[in-house]
Amino acid sequence: MNIYGDYGNALVLKRRLQWYGYDPVMLTYDPGDEFPEAPDILIGGGGQDSGQDRIQQDLLDIGQRLHTLADQDIPMLMICGLYQLFGHFFETREGSRISGIGILDAETYGTDSRLIGNVVAESSEFGRIIGYENHSGQTYLGVQVTPLARVTTGEGNNQKDEHEGARYRNVLGSYLHGALLPKNPAVADFLIGTAVEQRFAEKLPELSAPSSAPLSLNALTDQARRTAASRPR
Ligand code: GLN
């Protein structure tokens, strides 16, 4: 699934890996495709309830494979609709349950409120995380996961506990679109750094972004972060 720019996360990972000197191969996966043999990073996006319904069976079919990869510490980033389905279930407003695969110990309930707007959240590991939410499902975390961040602007997982996202091992779930990674290079580098360490047993080298960009990479990122954070909800 892919909504509100989530595909941008894939582009950021690819480009940053190139800047770090690697030669990434980006594969797409749709229901029914053959699941890749040994993926280094897995990312997934959001979708409407109807899209979640459509991919559900395929996700359940590959669920065991995904559990194995998660327990091998493969880094993953799942946004919104797939975040919900990496949890135990998404119960729609009408009361029907779309089963998830339960890698993340979390439950999601459809509500009549739609949570929309830019979000600012503080994470002890990644610093300030900025993104855009648009969901009516509200997610509650169990004890096997930790929240990704604490919301200071916006709602995040739900309207009660100020939590945004979830983490189990190297699997991150988040409600933040926009896409998330262009505005949050610390999260991108966590995914990349973890994958590089696992694949090559080495630390990330120095980043060498092209100097031909009109603004430096950091300046562009900072500008996007400031703009998003200053917009009214
Ligand atoms: N359908 C889900 C909800 O509204 C997910 C939406 C999304 O992925 N943006 O809660």
Side-chain angles (χ1 to χ4, degrees):
M1 294 195 293
N2 165 37
I3 202 169
Y4 310 127
D6 289 334
Y7 187 66
N9 290 330
L11 300 179
V12 165
L13 292 177
K14 183 175 179 192
R15 184 50 60 88
R16 286 183 84 80
L17 275 159
Q18 287 167 341
W19 286 342
Y20 279 116
Y22 297 97
D23 189 13
V25 177
M26 193 161 87
L27 304 172
T28 55
Y29 178 86
D30 289 308
D33 286 352
E34 198 171 321
F35 194 82
E37 191 61 37
D40 296 298
I41 304 177
L42 289 169
I43 61 172
Q48 315 296 350
D49 297 9
S50 55
Q52 291 174 290
D53 214 22
R54 257 189 290 154
I55 64 147
Q56 177 195 19
Q57 189 53 53
D58 186 78
L59 184 63
L60 295 176
D61 291 346
I62 60 171
Q64 195 44 55
R65 181 97 182 83
L66 292 168
H67 267 275
T68 304
L69 291 166
D71 288 328
Q72 288 168 348
D73 285 331
I74 295 299
M76 306 187 196
L77 173 66
M78 297 297 148
I79 305 296
C80 203
L82 266 171
Y83 166 36
Q84 294 173 346
L85 295 188
F86 263 53
H88 299 299
F89 58 80
F90 169 43
E91 189 174 295
T92 67
R93 260 171 309 170
E94 295 74 35
S96 62
R97 276 194 181 192
I98 304 177
S99 300
I101 52 177
I103 288 178
L104 298 171
D105 183 15
E107 300 176 352
T108 301
Y109 299 87
T111 68
D112 290 329
S113 328
R114 185 151 275 275
L115 314 180
I116 307 178
N118 286 290
V119 172
V120 181
E122 303 294 335
S123 147
S124 51
E125 182 165 8
F126 304 112
R128 180 164 297 172
I129 298 179
I130 297 176
Y132 170 82
E133 65 181 331
N134 187 349
H135 54 108
S136 54
Q138 300 202 22
T139 299
Y140 296 90
L141 306 182
V143 295
Q144 313 284 351
V145 288
T146 50
L148 189 61
R150 183 162 290 278
V151 172
T152 54
T153 303
E155 306 289 0
N157 286 349
N158 57 62
Q159 289 176 294
K160 293 209 173 108
D161 58 23
E162 294 175 356
H163 290 159
E164 154 47 31
R167 176 171 181 172
Y168 167 73
R169 302 181 82 113
N170 293 326
V171 179
L172 309 182
S174 171
Y175 269 111
L176 304 185
H177 304 278
L180 177 69
L181 296 184
K183 289 204 284 292
N184 299 281
V187 181
D189 282 353
F190 161 76
L191 298 168
I192 290 172
T194 306
V196 160
E197 226 169 287
Q198 303 227 13
R199 167 74 51 174
F200 302 115
E202 65 191 28
K203 297 262 176 233
L204 273 185
E206 280 296 297
L207 184 66
S208 58
S211 54
S212 55
L215 283 171
S216 83
L217 181 63
N218 286 344
L220 274 174
T221 304
D222 290 348
Q223 198 176 68
R225 289 169 65 82
R226 268 199 311 276
T227 305
S230 65
R231 282 203 176 133
R233 297 258 307 159

